[in-house]
Amino acid sequence: MIRSAPEVPPQLDIELSQASGWSLIKAAGEIDLASVGQLEEAVEATLASGARQVAIDLTDITFLDSTGLRALISAHTRLEETEGQLAVIIDGGPVERLFDITGMTSTLHIHPSLESVTS
């Protein structure tokens, strides 16, 4: 008898809010193949609401894989096409290291805090 591994629910929490004219998507946990759909849905809902200035806060993300990077690049591209702007908030750690290694710091607009985005 072959037993399959128990399904593990995605370990990602998303909060949507507004701050100084910016739509904020705050993510906490892990962004990987199992959870990236939640981030994509949050981005889609935010863009569908007409938002053109979107900040994605990754300061509480403990793991980000290539599917998460792809979702961020997709959001960035979609906003640029509508003359919008995406800001990504990271404050060091493994996520920032991944951005450095992959060159995403030169592609995406990176900020250390929400205050640096909205000021």
Side-chain angles (χ1 to χ4, degrees):
M1 175 182 211
I2 298 174
R3 290 189 173 155
S4 60
E7 191 170 315
V8 178
Q11 299 295 313
L12 182 64
D13 293 313
I14 301 273
E15 292 179 21
L16 304 177
S17 62
Q18 298 289 318
S20 301
W22 284 79
S23 294
L24 178 63
I25 300 170
K26 181 159 181 54
E30 299 178 355
I31 301 174
D32 58 17
L33 183 60
S35 64
V36 72
Q38 291 174 258
L39 177 61
E40 291 170 331
E41 288 174 12
V43 168
E44 184 61 38
T46 300
L47 296 179
S49 75
R52 293 296 168 252
Q53 290 186 297
V54 178
I56 300 178
D57 186 342
L58 302 178
T59 57
D60 291 330
I61 291 297
T62 57
F63 178 79
L64 178 75
D65 73 3
S66 61
T67 61
L69 286 176
R70 180 189 46 78
L72 294 171
I73 293 167
S74 175
H76 170 75
T77 301
R78 289 181 66 191
L79 279 159
E80 276 195 335
E81 289 171 352
T82 60
E83 297 182 16
Q85 184 177 3
L86 174 70
V88 179
I89 303 167
I90 54 176
D91 65 350
V95 173
E96 186 168 349
R97 179 153 167 69
L98 178 63
F99 275 60
D100 288 339
I101 290 169
T102 59
M104 289 296 100
T105 52
S106 63
T107 302
L108 301 174
H109 301 284
I110 307 299
H111 297 268
S113 67
L114 178 60
E115 293 75 27
S116 69
V117 173
T118 59
S119 60

